[in-house]
Amino acid sequence: MSYSSALRASYQQELDAIRAAGLFKEERYIHAPQGAEIEVEFPSGASVKKVINMCANNYLGLSSHPDVIDAARKGLDHRGYGLSSVRFICGTQDIHRELENKLTAFLGTEDTLLFPSCMDANAGVFEAVLNDQDVMISDRLVHASLIDGMRLCKAMTDTYKHSDLAHLEEKLQEHQDKRVRLIITDGVFSMDGDLAKLDTIVELAEKYNAMVLVDDSHASGFIGKTGRGTHEHCGVVGKIDIITTTLGKALGGASGGCVSGRRELVEMCRQRARPYLFSNTVAPVIVSGALKVLDLISRTTERRDKLEENTRYWRKLLTEAGLDIKEGESPIVPVMLYNAKLAQDFARDLFGEGIYAIGFFHPVVPKGQARIRTQLSAAHDKHHLDKAAAAFTKIGKKYEILGLGKKEIIAKYGQ
Ligand SMILES: *Cc1c(COP(=O)(O)O)cnc(C)c1O
């Protein structure tokens, strides 16, 4: 069928409906490298504005680090721009294996396989290691890419209520007849910033003979005493069967992901995972940059320590200002507003004050849970956070929500 005017109209109608529902996503153009301060242009708005960035996944501030850029440049000089091949044909260089080995050492696993992204790692891992005699039991709030990966796999799916490990235990009992039980969770959940209780999850896995997969995209590089991830924080290094994670957040922020874990499982991915077999290899420039990132963060914990300090300071500032934040220890700090329109208006006003943060509402978070998600970075200095907190306070005053809790904000603005 051709792209008829009727078909065009029907797509346009669907797009109009998205806009009418207030769910239309518009890109903003950044005229600068990623950092604590960026220049942002709203396509529909006026000029380019310099703002403090409170919404990047640049947790360690390495996205534009001079040493990383320098290493990437050297990679470009010595290994070229691209490989024009998937890994298994003629796309694997010495540096790809070197990076896999470094990731293995950093994560405390047995082996690692690089993917074009963590989305791809999650898309490939399940069908590579499971079959129709198995079950995947996932937390109900896992990342979209894990859900997509599970969809591509023939194993049965089941879920447990978010972080409800009594519920997980029931599910494990229920599925004792399966060949493999795979428990699936995020390490740090991206919307609330809460951590999975991996110590108890590992105990349950041992008790009920199950494997554990953790997506640590929002943790690798900074959660845990030396930044290895949620498994380090929970004292279960070496006990997670499969870790998937991204190079696109704290670890340099370019792109790339991996599956890391038990040797045989990683090898199964090398043999079978379709995004590994059928998508192009990670570019040498990124591999070289990532090698430098791992060097930097293996040598010193300075950056993750600064991030932790910034997080503590930011949480204190917002709490003292009377804003309603989600408790926790991760550098994801949601400011709860409950009402979608309020979240959008609040974010727009913050931008006016030179603070860049995004309002999240349904369907990204549950209905009535609208918020502004702020994210800390080691690239922030105290003066950035002081200025951002002053703006949050000013706008909070404008909407008269300072000192109010959930009930009062909902009473005022509705859900
Ligand atoms: C960001 C994210 C991903 C996707 O990572 P990419 O490398 O950008 O594809 C996967 N899982 C989780 C939990 C994430 O937060």
Side-chain angles (χ1 to χ4, degrees):
M1 191 180 70
S2 68
Y3 196 56
S4 65
S5 53
L7 195 51
R8 185 189 293 276
S10 105
Y11 281 118
Q12 191 54 53
Q13 216 168 37
E14 218 169 305
L15 289 166
D16 292 345
I18 294 173
R19 202 184 281 276
L23 301 174
F24 200 83
K25 288 184 269 308
E26 207 161 16
E27 293 178 342
R28 282 129 308 213
Y29 307 135
I30 297 171
H31 294 233
Q34 187 58 272
E37 294 178 36
I38 52 174
E39 286 142 41
V40 179
E41 173 195 356
F42 275 75
S44 52
S47 55
V48 177
K49 192 177 168 82
K50 192 167 179 182
V51 291
I52 295 173
N53 192 358
M54 298 300 298
C55 55
N57 300 314
N58 183 20
Y59 295 112
L60 294 173
L62 292 171
S63 305
S64 305
H65 190 283
D67 292 357
V68 177
I69 291 172
D70 195 43
R73 201 173 276 134
K74 288 200 176 104
L76 192 59
D77 289 342
H78 297 300
R79 292 291 180 277
Y81 174 65
L83 267 300
S84 301
S85 170
V86 299
R87 283 285 299 278
F88 85 95
I89 299 180
C90 55
T92 299
Q93 292 174 319
D94 51 351
I95 53 173
H96 290 89
R97 192 54 194 155
E98 190 186 343
L99 179 56
E100 287 172 344
N101 288 337
K102 282 223 164 109
L103 283 165
T104 301
F106 184 76
L107 297 171
T109 52
E110 296 174 5
D111 197 4
T112 299
L113 182 63
L114 280 174
F115 281 78
S117 68
C118 186
M119 174 101 196
D120 282 326
N122 289 338
V125 64
F126 299 104
E127 70 169 344
V129 303
L130 300 177
N131 65 35
D132 60 5
Q133 300 163 50
D134 306 333
V135 63
M136 305 175 279
I137 311 174
S138 70
D139 187 290
R140 285 192 185 159
L141 290 191
V142 293
H143 192 260
S145 57
L146 289 167
I147 294 170
D148 285 4
M150 288 186 260
R151 280 189 188 145
L152 292 170
C153 173
K154 291 193 176 64
M156 180 186 174
T157 55
D158 204 345
T159 61
Y160 60 97
K161 291 180 211 150
H162 177 52
S163 274
D164 182 341
L165 301 189
H167 195 212
L168 169 61
E169 182 161 16
E170 280 172 35
K171 296 291 182 178
L172 287 166
Q173 287 165 350
E174 196 181 314
H175 292 294
Q176 281 302 299
D177 59 328
K178 305 293 187 300
R179 182 192 74 127
V180 174
R181 286 152 293 284
L182 178 61
I183 304 167
I184 298 154
T185 182
D186 289 13
V188 172
F189 290 86
S190 58
M191 283 302 143
D192 287 353
D194 56 321
L195 276 61
K197 300 168 211 152
L198 290 187
D199 42 353
T200 314
I201 289 177
V202 164
E203 263 173 41
L204 286 173
E206 281 167 1
K207 183 166 171 197
Y208 292 99
N209 193 19
M211 300 204 294
V212 180
L213 181 148
V214 178
D215 180 338
D216 232 7
S217 290
H218 279 285
S220 295
F222 55 97
I223 296 289
K225 248 218 241 328
T226 64
R228 312 283 150 153
T230 315
H231 58 322
E232 181 182 30
H233 178 89
C234 296
V236 289
V237 173
K239 295 189 174 173
I240 306 298
D241 303 292
I242 304 172
I243 294 171
T244 64
T245 192
T246 183
L247 302 176
K249 292 191 167 94
L251 303 180
S255 66
C258 69
V259 168
S260 192
R262 306 287 180 204
R263 191 172 299 110
E264 301 73 21
L265 300 177
V266 172
E267 196 52 44
M268 286 300 286
C269 289
R270 207 181 287 277
Q271 301 307 315
R272 295 245 178 98
R274 294 167 72 85
Y276 169 81
L277 292 171
F278 298 117
S279 189
N280 202 39
T281 188
V282 181
V285 56
I286 291 173
V287 175
S288 305
L291 279 167
K292 176 55 75 177
V293 165
L294 286 176
D295 269 357
L296 290 174
I297 64 177
S298 302
R299 214 180 301 142
T300 159
T301 60
E302 221 169 82
R303 297 194 151 257
R304 57 107 23 232
D305 296 345
K306 182 167 178 209
L307 174 64
E308 191 171 75
E309 198 180 303
N310 280 347
T311 301
R312 222 178 287 127
Y313 187 62
W314 178 243
R315 286 181 178 278
K316 175 172 152 289
L317 288 178
L318 292 191
T319 305
E320 282 172 4
L323 286 151
D324 179 14
I325 63 170
K326 284 240 183 212
E327 296 295 320
E329 43 201 326
S330 86
I332 296 170
V333 183
V335 179
M336 299 308 293
L337 296 165
Y338 305 102
N339 175 286
K341 180 162 189 313
L342 178 61
Q344 276 172 300
D345 292 346
F346 204 109
R348 191 200 53 229
D349 290 350
L350 282 173
F351 192 77
E353 296 294 321
I355 307 302
Y356 190 36
I358 302 289
F360 287 86
F361 39 88
H362 185 73
V364 182
V365 293
K367 276 212 167 87
Q369 291 274 311
R371 66 195 62 190
I372 288 177
R373 182 178 71 172
T374 62
Q375 290 169 282
L376 283 300
S377 168
H380 288 131
D381 287 321
K382 278 220 159 68
H383 69 90
H384 294 124
L385 303 181
D386 288 334
K387 183 167 176 227
F392 266 91
T393 308
K394 181 172 170 187
I395 309 303
K397 232 177 237 159
K398 172 179 167 183
Y399 291 104
E400 301 181 330
I401 56 157
L402 296 185
L404 303 191
K406 179 176 178 178
K407 268 200 194 126
E408 291 109 325
I409 298 176
I410 291 173
K412 215 175 170 85
Y413 287 96
Q415 273 181 296

